[in-house]
Amino acid sequence: MQTILGANGQIAVELAHDLNRRGSALRLVSRNPREVNAGDELTRADLLDAEQTAAAVKGSEVVYFTAGLPANAELWERQFPTMLRNALDASRAAGAAFAYFDNTYMYPQDDRVQTEDTPFAPLGRKGRVRAAMAAMVLDEMARGDIPVLIARAPEFYGPGRTQSFTNSLVLDPLLAGRKARVPVRDDRARTLIWTPDASRGLAELGTTPDAFGQTWHLPVHPDRLTYRELIALAGEVFGVEPEYSVVPKWMLSAAGVFSAEARVIRELLPRYQYDNLFDSTKFRTRFPEFAVTDHREGLAVIRDESASDGR
């Protein structure tokens, strides 16, 4: 039994699809779980409740932690560590392997190449929460009672319900015939991960016994486009004028007083001043047959999905 905690999110849904294709029996856990594949076992649980979490994990072989929260720093501080601690304790009690889906909020926001060994240097409250959570998982890995891995992803772009700044500020406006908005700089390389690739990569790791006991960067395409290049390509693929404006850092900082979206991005603004160089060589070396989606292919999927939705 493979169990997904936080089973309604973008990564979790694609993960469930991929694990099902591999023949895995699935248990989907959230407060209000929804079936992804015919025959999925649905379990209601609040991960803030240790007993409910333990009951939801019982009998699992592998537990995937993909739970998310709204981008609110106070909520993250109050709830995320408790949710993760309950999940780790439950997995240990069940003797289940644990796969933790992580992001890069805790990394230095500069132009150094980010590898699995990059030291944490979080800026802002959400970055500090994610650093503390990653440290919690690393401690569990070092304890050695159960197999544990960390699968880390950079900023998303993707289809469906993908929630990212690139989707909301750049791709969604272009699809709607509006001008895109680029944070801070348009000439810095961005490493973006296609969300279905992130989910497939997580499934690959979780079903590979020797992947445990390690941190992994999930697979990204080696071509890192600037926003200027991405918008030009999106204009070509979408069949729209690639119009955009660059929103300077001071304006986004000031807008944070009034806009929830701007408050979320404000903590991450320094990273948009530099090339973002997230490296997934380790994964691509271990899984050389894994097909990574290139940007043109990904944008075409977004275009076709938008057309079918009538947007």
Side-chain angles (χ1 to χ4, degrees):
M1 175 67 69
Q2 308 249 344
T3 296
I4 302 175
L5 302 181
N8 290 343
Q10 173 85 18
I11 296 299
V13 170
E14 294 286 349
L15 173 64
H17 281 308
D18 196 82
L19 290 172
N20 179 67
R21 286 190 289 269
R22 296 165 184 263
S24 300
L26 295 180
R27 179 183 297 152
L28 308 184
V29 180
S30 73
R31 291 184 178 182
N32 295 288
R34 298 186 295 269
E35 188 178 73
V36 176
N37 313 286
D40 289 344
E41 179 182 326
L42 305 184
T43 299
R44 293 177 179 268
D46 180 352
L47 299 184
L48 291 168
D49 185 297
E51 291 185 2
Q52 290 184 33
T53 306
V57 165
K58 188 175 181 180
S60 303
E61 296 173 12
V62 182
V63 174
Y64 298 86
F65 187 92
T66 64
L69 287 172
N72 176 288
E74 182 180 354
L75 194 65
W76 282 32
E77 291 166 345
R78 286 192 290 108
Q79 296 189 2
F80 245 153
T82 300
M83 293 163 62
L84 179 58
R85 171 50 58 203
N86 288 342
L88 286 167
D89 290 346
S91 299
R92 193 183 322 109
F98 189 83
Y100 176 60
F101 183 74
D102 200 7
N103 67 21
T104 61
Y105 276 36
M106 76 293 292
Y107 278 165
Q109 297 192 34
D110 56 26
D111 60 359
R112 76 186 73 181
V113 176
Q114 297 171 354
T115 70
E116 289 83 355
D117 296 322
T118 295
F120 298 167
L123 293 175
R125 295 167 67 182
K126 290 189 290 296
R128 288 191 287 272
V129 170
R130 295 305 303 212
M133 292 171 68
M136 192 186 305
V137 179
L138 288 170
D139 287 345
E140 190 71 42
M141 192 185 296
R143 184 202 299 260
D145 291 341
I146 56 173
V148 175
L149 67 81
I150 295 174
R152 188 165 290 141
E155 185 179 338
F156 299 157
Y157 83 110
R161 297 174 297 164
T162 297
Q163 297 180 11
S164 74
F165 298 126
T166 295
N167 272 66
S168 62
L169 297 178
V170 176
L171 302 180
D172 291 347
L174 289 174
L175 276 170
R178 303 193 307 270
K179 182 182 292 187
R181 293 173 294 161
V182 172
V184 185
R185 300 285 295 255
D186 68 347
D187 60 348
R188 295 294 187 246
R190 314 305 312 158
T191 306
L192 302 174
I193 192 165
W194 178 244
T195 49
D197 286 356
S199 299
R200 290 192 302 114
L202 179 57
E204 192 78 63
L205 292 169
T207 55
T208 302
D210 66 19
F212 287 86
Q214 303 176 63
T215 297
W216 297 84
H217 277 185
L218 287 164
V220 296
H221 197 275
D223 291 342
R224 301 182 180 97
L225 303 184
T226 66
Y227 272 133
R228 180 189 301 162
E229 294 168 333
L230 179 66
I231 290 169
L233 180 60
E236 179 184 336
V237 174
F238 295 168
V240 299
E241 287 297 321
E243 296 184 337
Y244 69 96
S245 59
V246 176
V247 184
K249 182 178 177 180
W250 69 265
M251 186 177 294
L252 285 164
S253 297
V257 177
F258 308 102
S259 164
E261 183 181 65
R263 282 195 295 275
V264 172
I265 199 173
R266 184 167 54 184
E267 185 173 305
L268 301 174
L269 286 179
R271 72 169 61 185
Y272 291 97
Q273 298 177 84
Y274 303 99
D275 291 333
N276 178 240
L277 306 176
F278 179 92
D279 183 86
S280 60
T281 299
K282 177 181 174 179
F283 185 101
R284 289 187 286 109
T285 301
R286 174 61 181 82
F287 303 100
E289 302 303 316
F290 189 98
V292 178
T293 304
D294 67 35
H295 297 95
R296 180 179 292 275
E297 180 183 354
L299 292 171
V301 171
I302 294 172
R303 176 202 62 205
D304 294 345
E305 181 183 73
S306 175
S308 67
D309 291 344
R311 285 188 281 165

